[in-house]
Amino acid sequence: MFLVFLVANESTLFRFYFLVSFYLYLEAELEIRKALFETVWTMAKLKIGGTWAGVLEEVDLEGWTLATLREHVATRSNSAPHSINLICTGKILRDDTVPPQTLSQLGIRNNSKILATRASSPQQGLSLLAQEERSRRLARIRAAATAMAERHAEGALPVEDFNIEVEDQSGQKVRLGSETDQRAVMMGLMLHAKGKRLIRQENYKDALEVLSMGEEAFSLCDPKVIELIDNVPILQIDMVWCYFMIRDIRWLSDAGKRLDMARAGIERAHGKDSFRLRLLQGARYPELALHLRLELLEGVVAYHTGQLEKSRKALGSARAKFVQLQVPDEALSLVMSMGFVERDAKRALRMNNQDVGSAIDFLDDEKAKKLQKREEDIRRRNEIKDQKRYGMTPLKKAVDLERLKELVSIGFDKELAAEALRKNENDTQKALDDLTNPETNSALQVDIEARKRKRQKQAKDSAIEKVVQMGFKRSRVVAAFEAGGTLEQVLLRLTAQSETDPTSAAANMQPQENSTAAPHGGASSSAPLPDNVNSDILDMMNEVEDSSDHIKTEERDVEMEDELSADIVKADALADYDIEVNVEGEAITEYLALVESAGSYGETVPSQ
């Protein structure tokens, strides 16, 4: 900016210098105020919690980096800067960019809440990531167990090739209460099985989380329904075992309550002195190891609460059971000489009071049960295939196979009876009315034929698509299928045509731009199947379900569901009692020594 003045005299010159100086002063003042305003504008307050709790004032969001903020928090919490991790809006803040981003660029605003955590080492960042992954995995376990329990309890059409069913110790299927009760029990059992697997892997913290989910699931069930099953008290013992293995004394009070509930629940389920269990198991004692663990834990809790005599009594009883469970080498050799592996032989001897003859009978019974279970699983898989072929009821349920057997037993055609049940929401009486009414019976037959043709067309289209994707021309593939034969014969026919006619080979192997529809003017794949189609094509037809009957379900976590189902498959009726007691034996010796030491010297029992 230029100022032009006409200097006339000395007075005018003075005024000129005065105005110039005043102008320069105002311009400097404006710059200062502008800088001050921008500084104040970017200054902010941040609320810090965690390792250090308080408010950081005069934080320059445009000038500070994450390292600067970390240094301020570290100074106030007497920590090294590298040991501080900062979390905002659920995300771990990172400063690994070059150049480092300012707090503003990281999304931090005035009055933002920052959580500060102290790491034990520079690797704590990795530890937090592992914690996030752990939380996600536990959430997946809960979601998968919930989804599977809902599907299998409400009688929906199975999406897997198996059914989850509740059985008693003799292997008989049982129905517990309402559909809600059944769903709660299924979910509880799945989570308990998963928790036990984590215990075997010595992952006690995750096991405790999953067992807590299982306890929550069981709590949704009517107490009268589950009071005569021992799964809930066994789950309580497993949770206290995790407390013990983690060695966290903070759980002491909770452990005592859980053990009291477990003892009461086992007595209610097994009867006084295991009377009810003896009726079921005969001379076998599968529960011995479970009671050993219960008494050990009761002794530990009693010791840490200063009840030395109670602790001595519980630990002494546990030690007697430990001795009883020790397998003699001679007995083990005899059972293994019969062709049984060491683990199974030890289990059989422990559960049969070390009697060799009873142990061998037990193993033979178990082998027969496994064979029967395998045959039952094959039969059930075939039934599920049938259910998928029959389709779903209007309320998206599968056809009830027990009711179907009733109708078939009185002389009705199986497929016709299944269609009647499907249309009538598994109401046996209404299905019977339709089957005995000539008019509705005829309509059922028409519907069955229509559904069958639809499945056949879908199967044929599917087979054609597979062959077209190999590079053959659609019109020739359709013609080859209409000529009949097995899938292998169809492929041989197509390749033979290619060898005898080079021009047709070139046409055959053209890339298919759109393999889902026949070219304009080309052959259609919707013609009916010929009578001479062989078994492999028919099998494909039987596997195709009516697309209109598909359940519109949310996306499944197949990996986690498979993991949960594998835990169930590997378990058996006595799995909850099958406990290796080596760790328990060491703990019994340790705590008996502590009790004797405290009693001899009159010491105060340490709380930790």
Side-chain angles (χ1 to χ4, degrees):
M1 181 175 182
F2 296 95
L3 296 177
V4 181
F5 291 94
L6 181 63
V7 181
N9 52 42
E10 200 173 299
S11 172
T12 304
L13 181 63
F14 173 78
R15 284 197 300 273
F16 168 74
Y17 284 125
F18 173 77
L19 289 173
V20 170
S21 300
F22 182 68
Y23 170 78
L24 293 175
Y25 167 78
L26 288 177
E27 192 174 56
E29 182 71 17
L30 285 172
E31 289 295 328
I32 292 171
R33 288 177 179 273
K34 181 180 178 183
L36 181 62
F37 175 77
E38 289 178 348
T39 302
V40 171
W41 182 255
T42 58
M43 290 297 178
K45 293 181 179 180
L46 298 181
K47 299 175 182 177
I48 311 297
T51 301
W52 175 77
V55 177
L56 277 180
E57 298 185 354
E58 298 185 2
V59 176
D60 185 358
L61 297 179
E62 298 295 338
W64 284 23
T65 63
L66 197 58
T68 312
L69 177 59
R70 187 180 286 111
E71 287 174 5
H72 279 271
V73 174
T75 301
R76 287 164 173 78
S77 60
N78 296 319
S79 305
H82 65 73
S83 70
I84 297 296
N85 287 296
L86 302 173
I87 302 171
C88 182
T89 64
K91 297 180 180 179
I92 301 173
L93 299 176
R94 307 187 187 286
D95 50 0
D96 49 5
T97 58
V98 179
Q101 293 180 305
T102 64
L103 297 184
S104 177
Q105 290 172 329
L106 288 169
I108 298 175
R109 300 290 180 261
N110 186 32
N111 289 320
S112 288
K113 295 179 181 179
I114 308 291
L115 175 63
T117 61
R118 182 179 296 158
S120 57
S121 70
Q123 299 299 318
Q124 183 66 12
L126 295 176
S127 176
L128 287 172
L129 288 175
Q131 183 64 26
E132 290 177 4
E133 176 59 30
R134 175 177 178 265
S135 299
R136 280 196 294 269
R137 181 171 176 78
L138 290 171
R140 287 177 61 201
I141 290 173
R142 179 192 289 273
T146 302
M148 291 177 72
E150 287 178 353
R151 285 202 306 270
H152 289 271
E154 66 185 9
L157 189 67
V159 296
E160 307 97 340
D161 63 348
F162 61 86
N163 256 8
I164 299 175
E165 295 167 324
V166 181
E167 298 178 350
D168 60 20
Q169 287 187 353
S170 61
Q172 298 299 314
K173 295 178 180 60
V174 292
R175 182 82 188 177
L176 299 173
S178 66
E179 186 177 296
T180 301
D181 295 328
Q182 190 82 353
R183 180 166 58 247
V185 170
M186 282 185 180
M187 185 173 176
L189 292 175
M190 280 188 282
L191 291 169
H192 191 188
K194 182 64 179 176
K196 291 180 80 69
R197 179 177 177 178
L198 291 169
I199 289 174
R200 289 193 297 272
Q201 295 170 348
E202 300 183 3
N203 187 352
Y204 298 108
K205 289 187 177 180
D206 283 3
L208 197 53
E209 293 282 354
V210 175
L211 291 172
S212 298
M213 295 178 200
E215 181 184 37
E216 181 184 338
F218 280 127
S219 71
L220 301 175
C221 190
D222 184 346
K224 293 180 180 179
V225 172
I226 59 173
E227 65 181 5
L228 293 179
I229 62 176
D230 62 5
N231 302 87
V232 179
I234 291 174
L235 181 141
Q236 300 284 359
I237 294 172
D238 288 336
M239 291 185 73
V240 179
W241 181 250
C242 290
Y243 297 161
F244 176 70
M245 297 305 292
I246 294 171
R247 303 282 176 157
D248 191 339
I249 205 69
R250 291 175 299 176
W251 295 103
L252 190 63
S253 174
D254 186 59
K257 295 175 184 177
R258 289 188 182 279
L259 292 175
D260 289 341
M261 289 190 294
R263 181 166 286 282
I266 287 176
E267 185 170 321
R268 189 168 53 244
H270 293 177
K272 187 71 173 176
D273 298 323
S274 300
F275 172 74
R276 195 175 292 119
L277 191 64
R278 291 284 75 74
L279 290 176
L280 184 62
Q281 295 293 338
R284 294 168 183 165
Y285 295 84
E287 78 283 5
L288 203 59
L290 182 69
H291 281 273
L292 181 154
R293 180 176 283 183
L294 173 60
E295 290 171 350
L296 163 63
L297 295 171
E298 287 174 335
V300 170
V301 172
Y303 170 76
H304 284 291
T305 52
Q307 304 174 72
L308 295 183
E309 189 54 39
K310 181 180 178 181
S311 177
R312 184 182 289 108
K313 184 179 178 181
L315 292 168
S317 179
R319 181 170 60 181
K321 290 180 174 62
F322 177 75
V323 172
Q324 190 177 347
L325 287 167
Q326 297 310 295
V327 177
D329 291 340
E330 184 180 352
L332 180 61
S333 299
L334 283 172
V335 177
M336 290 180 65
S337 68
M338 303 296 291
F340 299 105
V341 298
E342 181 178 352
R343 189 187 182 284
D344 292 345
K346 281 186 175 181
R347 166 177 162 159
L349 286 165
R350 284 199 302 264
M351 291 187 178
N352 289 274
N353 206 20
Q354 315 301 342
D355 184 82
V356 173
S358 298
I360 292 173
D361 290 341
F362 172 83
L363 288 167
D364 287 336
D365 289 345
E366 290 293 292
K367 186 176 180 180
K369 285 178 182 178
K370 286 180 180 178
L371 182 60
Q372 182 180 353
K373 180 72 165 56
R374 193 177 298 117
E375 292 173 351
E376 175 69 17
D377 288 343
I378 293 172
R379 182 189 65 78
R380 183 63 190 126
R381 280 197 292 271
N382 291 332
E383 287 180 343
I384 290 173
K385 284 184 180 180
D386 288 341
Q387 282 182 310
K388 291 181 178 181
R389 194 172 73 251
Y390 299 146
M392 292 184 298
T393 69
L395 293 180
K396 309 300 181 186
K397 306 283 186 181
V399 171
D400 190 313
L401 295 179
E402 293 303 318
R403 300 187 182 192
L404 177 59
K405 288 175 185 176
E406 292 176 11
L407 293 175
V408 172
S409 68
I410 58 178
F412 290 105
D413 175 74
K414 188 174 184 179
E415 201 144 350
L416 196 62
E419 180 64 14
L421 285 170
R422 188 191 70 79
K423 286 218 164 192
N424 291 284
E425 205 61 56
N426 286 315
D427 187 314
T428 306
Q429 186 55 52
K430 289 182 179 178
L432 197 57
D433 292 342
D434 282 352
L435 289 167
T436 53
N437 184 317
E439 186 175 338
T440 53
N441 186 299
S442 178
L444 289 173
Q445 294 183 46
V446 170
D447 289 342
I448 290 172
E449 288 302 315
R451 287 166 61 83
K452 188 179 293 185
R453 284 195 298 271
K454 188 172 184 179
R455 285 199 305 271
Q456 288 175 344
K457 180 182 180 303
Q458 289 173 338
K460 180 183 176 184
D461 289 347
S462 175
I464 288 174
E465 288 304 323
K466 289 179 180 178
V467 178
V468 168
Q469 288 171 8
M470 297 178 188
F472 294 100
K473 193 173 182 181
R474 177 177 295 276
S475 59
R476 294 185 179 277
V477 172
V478 172
F481 269 94
E482 289 178 349
T486 65
L487 187 58
E488 183 180 359
Q489 289 171 337
V490 168
L491 291 172
L492 286 173
R493 191 176 299 124
L494 287 168
T495 53
Q497 289 175 356
S498 301
E499 291 172 358
T500 55
D501 186 357
T503 55
S504 102
N508 258 343
M509 301 308 291
Q510 290 176 12
Q512 302 298 315
E513 293 180 2
N514 183 0
S515 63
T516 59
H520 181 68
S524 169
S525 64
S526 62
L529 282 167
D531 294 333
N532 60 340
V533 173
N534 214 316
S535 59
D536 56 346
I537 304 296
L538 291 175
D539 288 340
M540 191 180 294
M541 293 175 190
N542 289 333
E543 290 172 3
V544 174
E545 304 163 49
D546 190 338
S547 59
S548 63
D549 286 339
H550 281 204
I551 309 173
K552 294 181 180 178
T553 58
E554 296 179 1
E555 186 176 349
R556 292 172 53 210
D557 187 345
V558 178
E559 180 185 10
M560 185 55 68
E561 289 186 6
D562 288 346
E563 198 173 298
L564 289 175
S565 60
D567 293 331
I568 301 171
V569 169
K570 292 176 182 176
D572 57 35
L574 299 175
D576 286 332
Y577 309 111
D578 187 16
I579 302 173
E580 293 285 348
V581 293
N582 296 329
V583 176
E584 285 84 348
E586 294 173 3
I588 290 169
T589 302
E590 175 189 350
Y591 272 88
L592 276 173
L594 290 171
V595 169
E596 293 304 323
S597 175
S600 299
Y601 294 97
E603 296 175 353
T604 301
V605 177
S607 62
Q608 294 189 29

